[in-house]
Amino acid sequence: MTGPSADERLADAGRLRRLLIRPELGAAVGAIAVFAFFAAQSAVFRSPAGVANWLDPAATLGIMAVAVALLMIGGEFDLSAGVLTGTAGLILVTLATEYGMNVWLALLTGLAVALGVGFLNGLIVTRTRLPSFIVTLGTFLMLQGVNLGVTKLITGTVQVSGLRGASGFESARVIFAGTVQVGQVHFRVAILWWLALTAVATWVLVRSRPGNWIFAVGGNEQAARAAGVPAARTKIALFMTTAFAAWLVGSIMALRYTSVQANSGIGQEFIYIIAAVIGGCLLTGGYGSAVGASVGAVIFGMADKGIVFLGWDADWFTFFLGAMLLLATLANHLVRRYAEEVRH
């Protein structure tokens, strides 16, 4: 005889609990609600061309949001991420236009500088134990000054332009800033970069040992160290990942517009953090997902373009950001409390 089967109601309750504590659940519900609202009001918004339109800002934001989410899960912040996108773009355009460097070599130079900044951020945080908020705020201010000062010194203005005529521009533009045609609609290549990075980050978090390390150092760094987790290396790698994403976004924007302003990216670091929080990341670390951060970026993209499609004043977008941040933080707090009750 076979033993009594498990109560199906208990199994359903277990599945429901696991679903409710998923970090991206709130963002997914919010994305559906935002899409339904704007789609009901605007036929253009829900059309294929409209989808391509609002996926474009979601992609560049999503690339950064995913990297910032990994860092936040690891228990740290990077306030220099926004201005670093501008630094990467300025290096690319300046080297290619003012010094005649091939665009691909200029891209690699920008990548090396960005990774160096990320490494120094991580090294200072791990060696000094200073809050990453303070360390990266200092980096933010220094990069802002360098961007403005060096650009003025070289060009006499606060803008560098003329990338279109540089050697290697066309091939680099296809890879980083081109479009892919689906039917009659052109989608930005940045969307593919975003999806690829989201997939890689999700695999790292869910399927790899470094993913376990990220959650461990974000949840309890001292306990993680005691368990043999290389906390310092993990955090340095996370800062460098954020720097890589900043280089990628900065390069995409520079190749798309062929010019860069010296103040590019300033203020965007808060948008990245907000997108990650909307996606389920806790400000205290140890909880979140790459998929959630990407969904948070989609919400931003839909709101950004949806407000324009409806003809509203663009100032309402900042109101939307604040409202979404408060709602997401409250939802994350309630979910975390529920998760802790479930464990006990």
Side-chain angles (χ1 to χ4, degrees), residues 78 80-81 83-95 101 104-122 139 142-144 146-147 150 236 239-248 251:
D78 189 351
S80 67
V83 70
L84 187 56
T85 65
T87 303
L90 286 169
I91 291 173
L92 167 59
V93 181
T94 301
L95 291 179
M101 186 178 290
W104 286 101
L105 184 56
L107 281 167
L108 292 177
T109 303
L111 175 59
V113 172
L115 292 178
V117 171
F119 176 80
L120 288 176
N121 279 338
T139 305
M142 288 188 290
L143 288 176
Q144 182 181 9
V146 167
N147 289 356
V150 174
I236 291 173
F239 277 105
M240 293 180 71
T241 299
T242 304
F244 170 80
W247 165 81
L248 179 57
S251 300

Side-chain angles (χ1 to χ4, degrees), residues 94-283:
T94 301
L95 291 179
T97 60
E98 298 294 327
Y99 298 98
M101 186 178 290
N102 183 276
V103 168
W104 286 101
L105 184 56
L107 281 167
L108 292 177
T109 303
L111 175 59
V113 172
L115 292 178
V117 171
F119 176 80
L120 288 176
N121 279 338
L123 185 65
I124 294 172
V125 168
T126 55
R127 289 291 180 86
T128 65
R129 304 294 178 89
L130 288 173
S132 56
F133 178 91
I134 298 298
V135 172
T136 58
L137 177 60
T139 305
F140 163 83
L141 294 173
M142 288 188 290
L143 288 176
Q144 182 181 9
V146 167
N147 289 356
L148 287 168
V150 174
T151 303
K152 285 183 178 180
L153 180 65
I154 294 176
T155 68
T157 67
V158 294
Q159 180 178 348
V160 186
S161 58
L163 184 61
R164 188 178 299 277
S167 172
F169 168 77
E170 291 298 335
S171 58
R173 184 182 177 90
V174 169
I175 299 299
F176 293 97
T179 59
V180 176
Q181 185 172 354
V182 179
Q184 300 299 316
V185 180
H186 291 269
F187 291 84
R188 292 284 187 178
V189 170
I191 297 172
L192 299 180
W193 281 102
W194 168 39
L195 294 176
L197 289 177
T198 301
V200 171
T202 300
W203 181 85
V204 169
L205 285 176
V206 176
R207 299 292 184 183
S208 72
R209 181 178 296 179
N212 293 332
W213 294 346
I214 293 170
F215 281 108
V217 297
N220 189 324
E221 184 176 350
Q222 296 304 320
R225 289 179 183 275
V229 172
R233 292 207 310 270
T234 299
K235 291 197 173 187
I236 291 173
L238 290 173
F239 277 105
M240 293 180 71
T241 299
T242 304
F244 170 80
W247 165 81
L248 179 57
V249 170
S251 300
I252 288 172
M253 302 309 290
L255 288 163
R256 180 181 299 181
Y257 298 114
T258 70
S259 64
V260 181
Q261 293 281 344
N263 61 352
S264 295
I266 295 176
Q268 290 297 304
E269 57 280 343
F270 296 108
I271 305 298
Y272 307 148
I273 293 173
I274 293 171
V277 171
I278 291 175
C281 291
L282 292 180
L283 297 175

Side-chain angles (χ1 to χ4, degrees), residues 7-21 338 342:
D7 193 326
E8 291 183 358
R9 291 172 298 177
L10 295 179
D12 290 339
R15 285 192 290 268
L16 178 61
R17 286 175 176 175
R18 287 194 295 271
L19 176 63
L20 290 176
I21 63 175
Y338 178 81
V342 168

Side-chain angles (χ1 to χ4, degrees), residues 30-68:
I32 293 172
V34 172
F35 177 82
F37 173 78
F38 285 113
Q41 303 294 322
S42 170
V44 177
F45 178 87
R46 62 179 183 267
S47 69
V51 172
N53 197 286
W54 51 257
L55 278 181
D56 180 25
T60 50
L61 172 59
I63 290 170
M64 287 303 307
V66 167
V68 168

